[in-house]
Amino acid sequence: MGKIVIDDIDIHFEKKPIKNMYLRIKATDGKVKMTVPVSASEEDIKKFVLLKISWIKKRRKKLADKPRPVELNYVTGETLWLLGKQYPLNVQHGSVNTVFVNEPEIILQLRNNTTKTSRAKIIEEWYRDVLKKIVPVVLEKWEKTIGVKITEWKIQNMRTKWGTCNIRERRIVLNLHLAKRSPDCLEFVIIHELIHLLEKSHGAQFKQYMDVYCPNWKNIRKSLASNLH
């Protein structure tokens, strides 16, 4: 792993047996990473970065200005989001670790001496269970409507994407944090990934499909872009 500095920006690069240079900016911390050919000199790398420097600065500024998720301790008085609605959290002692909605709040029952890490895991699994109940219904609806069929779907705690589609294996992956967002966000992501089975790219044909099946998709996409979590 090597590093160069251009305009006070650290550029970390790794050489691999590839033909072209690839540059990416980590959404979590704004670090600039590159993968370059083994034969690339430091001067070659600098020239490539200088061609991209304006975009790099704009992208890093956008990421820096983006609001970060509030780190939770999972204690009474904090709030949790569920399906687009915000609930106060009420932590209680219990014989088992469990989470449930008791309007107008979310109850988190915990055994004694439950750590913050354990609390986070309990909440994460609860969100996973919420999606497991909702996703099959939404999937069945849109598979029939769009006229496609997947072989498998999964839920993952992803950092940079709301969903992915493996076209060859006909498998989609949905972000765990969709359990926090409104139901129309979940539908948008599912529609988006299913349409990839009709159109691989995000070009004009893809957008036409989105206009047909999810007319409000641009507004939903914008709301999702405000914060990944």
Side-chain angles (χ1 to χ4, degrees):
M1 182 73 74
K3 186 182 82 169
I4 60 174
V5 180
I6 296 179
D7 286 0
D8 295 325
I9 299 174
D10 291 342
I11 314 291
H12 299 270
F13 63 88
E14 181 178 4
K15 291 191 173 184
K16 290 187 176 182
I18 55 178
K19 292 183 178 181
N20 301 310
M21 295 190 192
Y22 299 95
L23 183 150
R24 62 193 182 279
I25 300 176
K26 293 181 66 176
T28 52
D29 54 19
K31 289 184 178 179
V32 183
K33 304 282 188 178
M34 287 186 66
T35 307
V36 304
V38 175
S39 61
S41 66
E42 188 169 304
E43 189 63 28
D44 293 331
I45 297 170
K46 286 181 179 179
K47 288 179 180 179
F48 183 87
V49 172
L50 286 171
L51 290 174
K52 304 283 187 179
I53 195 67
S54 178
W55 175 82
I56 291 171
K57 290 179 179 179
K58 289 179 181 177
R59 179 63 178 161
R60 281 165 54 88
K61 184 179 185 306
K62 185 176 180 180
L63 288 171
D65 293 341
K66 193 173 182 179
R68 300 294 179 185
V70 176
E71 183 175 349
L72 296 174
N73 294 305
Y74 304 100
V75 296
T76 296
E78 294 180 336
T79 59
L80 295 179
W81 286 90
L82 176 65
L83 301 178
K85 181 179 178 181
Q86 197 170 23
Y87 292 83
L89 179 63
N90 184 352
V91 180
Q92 302 175 354
H93 174 73
S95 57
V96 295
N97 295 329
T98 186
V99 191
F100 57 91
V101 177
N102 183 24
E103 292 286 355
E105 60 187 7
I106 290 176
I107 305 296
L108 173 59
Q109 288 188 351
L110 300 169
R111 294 192 292 267
N112 287 333
N113 302 318
T114 305
T115 65
K116 175 183 173 180
T117 300
S118 296
R119 295 180 184 208
K121 186 65 176 178
I122 293 164
I123 294 294
E124 179 177 310
E125 289 307 308
W126 175 62
Y127 279 134
R128 190 179 301 274
D129 289 340
V130 168
L131 285 181
K132 284 181 178 179
K133 293 176 182 177
I134 299 173
V135 169
V137 177
V138 180
L139 260 177
E140 183 179 8
K141 169 188 173 182
W142 287 106
E143 282 179 324
K144 289 180 179 178
T145 302
I146 297 172
V148 296
K149 188 73 177 177
I150 63 168
T151 58
E152 184 184 16
W153 63 274
K154 295 181 178 181
I155 299 168
Q156 289 184 6
N157 190 348
M158 296 188 285
R159 289 181 176 273
T160 60
K161 294 182 178 180
W162 286 108
T164 64
C165 177
N166 185 315
I167 297 172
R168 182 174 60 84
E169 297 182 7
R170 306 183 76 82
R171 179 181 67 242
I172 67 173
V173 179
L174 301 170
N175 193 321
L176 175 76
H177 294 281
L178 283 168
K180 302 175 184 179
R181 297 303 187 114
S182 60
D184 62 342
C185 291
L186 175 62
E187 284 206 276
F188 160 78
V189 174
I190 287 177
I191 292 168
H192 179 111
E193 303 310 332
L194 290 178
I195 287 177
H196 275 307
L197 297 177
L198 301 177
E199 174 57 46
K200 295 181 181 180
S201 74
H202 290 105
Q205 183 62 63
F206 182 91
K207 292 174 182 177
Q208 286 177 16
Y209 281 130
M210 289 299 296
D211 287 339
V212 171
Y213 295 116
C214 189
N216 195 36
W217 68 272
K218 291 180 182 179
N219 289 332
I220 299 172
R221 182 182 63 178
K222 186 176 180 180
S223 72
L224 282 171
S226 63
N227 200 317
L228 191 59
H229 296 165

